């Protein structure tokens, strides 16, 4: 036994984007390896030169980095079982091909090299799908597979099996779309005299309407998530629930809890349904629950992109903790907080029309400003008292002061608690903005 008996791998073909299905496969392999104290390998299956691209390799690697699925062996990392690109493993495939040739399994047809099936029944003991028997006795329904094309390039089945043997993979966790390939793979293991790994075929991912999810469906492309402000830990949470769920059906799970609870055999055989709204909701829950330091880390790129910078990090933290409970998605953040860091912010025309357009509203703002000017202590609670007193004197509801004041200081009709906002903005800026709106708008 080696010192790391559990070895899983993610083996993408770099022919396009990293798809949700691929990301989930990578996640399950990573979870299983991490949970068992095993090794997670990344192998790039780039034998199909006509469909591979460098760009796609990069997209996949970047996507895995972003998701936080670190590999122990693979590109950029190395390891004892490399190279980890199939395009660099030709000599190994030649050796295995020679071994099959020697045992009499191969024949040539029209320049291609084919494998002579022993024509048996093959039993797959799948960790998720259970036992499945495949009857390969009939050449009409199960023709001999090709291992090598006439141009010398390798066929997926052969190199996939050779690499899983060479890389000492103990568990192959992959999508159910590969289920029909697995009997062929089992034939190859047997022919090569190798012990097959344990297989676990994960259920398909469907759209909400029941159609099979494809690359073009909403939410399918993993590269949209960073730019839409998703937290990787939230995506790990959502992806883990595509086919698996903890016994108590909890939905918001941090990664250490998933690691604690995850069991391969608990993966459901039924198809999983991809729901972009649920994914969005789960992300919102993670944003709500994460600590401020993490929130700030995720928020900074969005603020920078919107050219919002804070002179003091204390102010930034106060603003973020004020708006954090309210904001559902990070791309909304700049609009919510711009007014704290600059006097240049846009006014929503509807909010102005509704709250600042009458002489009466402007008069009230000016009276409010006068009252605030005299406040002894500039705190949210004394600001609130001041609003209430002013409203009582004017014989109006406090909302009739709050809404115009909010638009005057932030340009918007929604936001965090107004009194807390004003406390943070400070007396000088608050009064300046109230008076500016009282005069101009
Ligand atoms: N390159 C194959 C794919 O991307 C790998 C399948 C497997 O995991 O064995 O579908």
């Amino acid at each position: 036994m080696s010192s790391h008996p559990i070895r899983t791998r993610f083996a993408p073909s770099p022919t396009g984007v990293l798809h949700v299905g691929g990301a989930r496969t990578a996640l399950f392999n990573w979870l299983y390896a991490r949970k068992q104290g095993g090794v997670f390998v990344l192998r790039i299956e780039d034998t199909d030169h006509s469909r591979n691209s460098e760009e796609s390799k990069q997209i996949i690697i970047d996507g895995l980095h972003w998701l936080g699925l670190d590999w122990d062996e693979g590109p950029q990392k190395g390891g004892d079982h490399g190279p980890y690109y199939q395009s660099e493993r030709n000599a190994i495939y030649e050796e295995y091909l020679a071994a099959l040739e020697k045992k009499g399994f191969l024949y040539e047809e029209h320049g291609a090299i084919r494998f002579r099936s022993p024509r048996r029944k093959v039993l797959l003991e799948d960790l998720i799908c259970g036992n499945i028997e495949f009857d390969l006795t009939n050449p009409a329904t199960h023709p001999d597979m090709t291992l090598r094309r006439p141009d010398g390039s390798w066929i997926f089945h052969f190199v996939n099996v050779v690499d899983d043997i060479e890389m000492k993979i103990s568990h192959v966790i992959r999508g159910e779309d590969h289920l029909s390939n697995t009997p062929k793979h089992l034939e190859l293991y047997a022919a090569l005299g190798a012990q097959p790994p344990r297989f676990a075929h994960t259920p398909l991912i469907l759209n909400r309407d029941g159609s099979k999810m494809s690359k073009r469906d909403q939410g399918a492309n993993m590269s949209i998530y960073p730019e839409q402000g998703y937290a990787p830990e939230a995506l790990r949470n959502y992806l883990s629930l595509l086919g698996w769920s903890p016994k108590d059906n909890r939905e918001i799970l941090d990664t250490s809890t998933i690691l604690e609870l995850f069991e391969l055999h608990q993966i459901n055989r039924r198809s999983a349904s991809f729901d972009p709204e649920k994914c969005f909701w789960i992300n919102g829950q993670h944003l709500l629950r994460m600590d401020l330091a993490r929130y700030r880390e995720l928020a900074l790129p969005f603020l920078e992109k919107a050219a919002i910078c804070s002179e003091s990090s204390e102010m930034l933290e106060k603003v973020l903790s004020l708006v954090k409970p309210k904001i559902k998605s990070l791309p909304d953040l700049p609009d919510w907080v711009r007014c704290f860091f600059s006097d240049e912010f846009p006014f929503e025309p509807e909010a102005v029309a509704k709250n600042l357009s009458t002489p009466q509203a402007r008069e009230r703002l000016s009276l409010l400003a006068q009252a605030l000017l005299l406040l002894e202590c500039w705190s949210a609670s004394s600001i609130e008292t001041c609003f209430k007193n002013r409203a009582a004197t004017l014989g109006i509801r406090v909302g009739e002061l709050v809404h115009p004041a909010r638009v005057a200081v932030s340009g918007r009709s929604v936001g965090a608690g107004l009194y807390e906002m004003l406390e943070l903005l400070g007396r000088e800026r608050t009064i300046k903005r109230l008076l500016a709106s009282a005069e101009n708008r």
Side-chain angles (χ1 to χ4, degrees):
M1 287 289 267
S2 79
S3 56
H4 286 300
I6 303 292
R7 293 175 58 90
T8 65
R9 83 315 189 259
F10 178 48
S13 307
T15 56
V17 303
L18 179 60
H19 181 262
V20 161
R24 183 195 58 170
T25 298
L27 174 67
F28 283 173
N29 279 285
W30 179 87
L31 282 171
Y32 191 67
R34 291 288 168 268
K35 170 144 189 151
Q36 305 292 327
V39 170
F40 175 54
V41 178
L42 174 62
R43 176 175 80 227
I44 305 289
E45 301 213 321
D46 56 347
T47 49
D48 188 347
H49 303 295
S50 59
R51 296 179 64 223
N52 294 326
S53 77
E54 279 309 312
E55 195 197 353
S56 167
K57 286 177 200 171
Q58 201 53 48
I59 288 173
I60 291 168
I61 287 176
D62 291 348
L64 294 174
H65 279 315
W66 180 79
L67 256 185
L69 304 183
D70 56 319
W71 51 97
D72 307 297
E73 295 178 21
Q76 303 174 341
K77 256 278 163 74
D80 292 342
H81 305 79
Y84 293 90
Y85 289 94
Q86 285 189 330
S87 56
E88 296 169 16
R89 298 174 63 80
N90 218 30
I92 299 170
Y93 305 141
E94 296 281 6
E95 260 177 53
Y96 275 76
L97 195 74
L100 285 179
E101 166 85 84
K102 220 162 141 195
K103 294 182 180 181
F105 281 106
L106 304 185
Y107 64 96
E108 205 187 307
E109 194 175 74
H110 309 303
I113 296 179
R114 308 190 72 187
F115 175 80
R116 185 176 293 109
S117 168
R119 305 260 154 244
R120 297 207 184 99
K121 289 181 178 164
V122 170
L123 179 68
L124 165 64
E125 294 170 88
D126 193 275
L127 293 170
I128 298 171
C129 304
N131 288 0
I132 307 176
E133 196 182 59
F134 295 89
D135 184 351
L136 306 184
T137 52
N138 183 355
T141 51
H142 292 91
D144 285 345
M145 69 180 128
T146 300
L147 303 188
R148 194 176 207 175
R149 298 185 191 89
D151 69 1
S153 63
W154 304 101
I155 296 286
F156 156 73
H157 306 295
F158 178 62
V159 290
N160 183 266
V161 165
V162 169
D163 285 346
D164 284 341
I165 296 171
E166 279 284 301
M167 295 182 182
K168 301 193 167 25
I169 299 303
S170 64
H171 290 71
V172 167
I173 305 166
R174 62 185 176 192
E176 205 185 272
D177 47 330
H178 283 290
L179 199 53
S180 59
N181 294 327
T182 305
K184 297 191 186 92
H185 297 183
L186 289 169
E187 282 190 319
L188 287 172
Y189 283 102
L192 288 163
Q195 173 78 21
R198 301 304 311 269
F199 286 96
H201 288 90
T202 58
L204 295 178
I205 304 178
L206 305 179
N207 293 308
R208 274 179 301 178
D209 65 6
S211 59
K212 186 168 178 253
M213 198 174 185
S214 86
K215 284 182 185 146
R216 282 165 297 280
D217 287 313
Q218 189 195 353
N221 178 351
M222 287 302 297
S223 28
I224 64 169
Y225 292 99
E227 68 207 35
Q228 292 184 2
Y230 279 78
E233 54 270 40
L235 250 293
R236 291 197 293 271
N237 183 168
Y238 183 64
L239 292 175
S240 77
L241 297 177
L242 290 175
W244 172 80
S245 58
K247 283 205 194 85
D248 57 9
N249 280 328
R250 248 182 303 167
E251 294 193 299
I252 307 301
L253 303 160
D254 58 30
T255 303
S256 58
T257 310
I258 301 173
L259 274 167
E260 208 177 286
L261 302 176
F262 182 77
E263 297 289 350
L264 214 42
H265 64 260
Q266 272 176 7
I267 292 176
N268 211 307
R269 289 186 61 179
R270 254 178 303 132
S271 307
S273 165
F274 184 84
D275 181 348
E277 278 166 28
K278 175 130 184 218
C279 185
F280 181 83
W281 176 77
I282 286 189
N283 186 57
Q285 294 297 310
H286 278 263
L287 291 176
L288 269 183
R289 292 170 198 213
M290 68 182 52
D291 64 30
L292 200 61
R294 176 66 177 143
Y295 192 77
R296 179 191 161 126
E297 191 180 12
L298 291 171
L300 278 178
F302 288 89
L303 298 179
E304 275 162 24
K305 211 163 87 195
I308 292 174
C309 66
S310 173
E311 277 156 31
S312 101
S313 83
E314 199 191 329
M315 177 68 174
L316 177 63
E317 292 199 351
K318 283 184 178 162
V319 170
L320 291 180
S321 63
L322 182 65
V323 298
K324 183 172 175 277
K326 294 263 188 167
I327 293 186
K328 295 199 171 67
S329 121
L330 287 171
D332 295 343
L333 189 65
D335 286 345
W336 281 66
V337 306
R338 192 181 301 279
C339 67
F340 291 100
F341 303 107
S342 157
D343 291 328
E344 305 293 318
F345 51 85
F347 280 80
E348 290 171 356
E350 318 79 64
V352 171
K354 189 163 171 224
N355 295 288
L356 299 177
S357 58
T358 65
Q360 196 187 27
R362 293 202 292 265
E363 168 70 14
R364 285 175 189 162
L365 282 186
S366 138
L367 291 170
L368 181 67
Q370 285 167 27
L372 288 171
L373 197 57
L374 299 173
L375 255 194
E376 251 170 55
C377 157
W378 190 257
S379 71
S381 68
S382 49
I383 294 169
E384 179 174 2
T385 312
C386 180
F387 267 70
K388 288 186 172 154
N389 290 343
R390 191 50 19 191
T393 324
L394 289 167
I396 56 175
R397 283 174 293 114
V398 70
E400 290 175 85
L401 288 178
V402 166
H403 300 307
R406 179 189 292 290
V407 181
V409 301
S410 71
R412 291 158 46 89
S413 56
V414 289
L418 180 68
Y419 309 127
E420 287 77 16
M421 275 180 76
L422 299 187
E423 179 185 319
L424 267 185
L425 274 171
R427 190 191 312 250
E428 199 184 318
R429 281 195 292 180
T430 300
I431 292 187
K432 215 169 87 188
R433 291 182 191 178
L434 291 178
L435 291 178
S437 279
E439 282 153 25
N440 301 331
R441 273 170 234 283

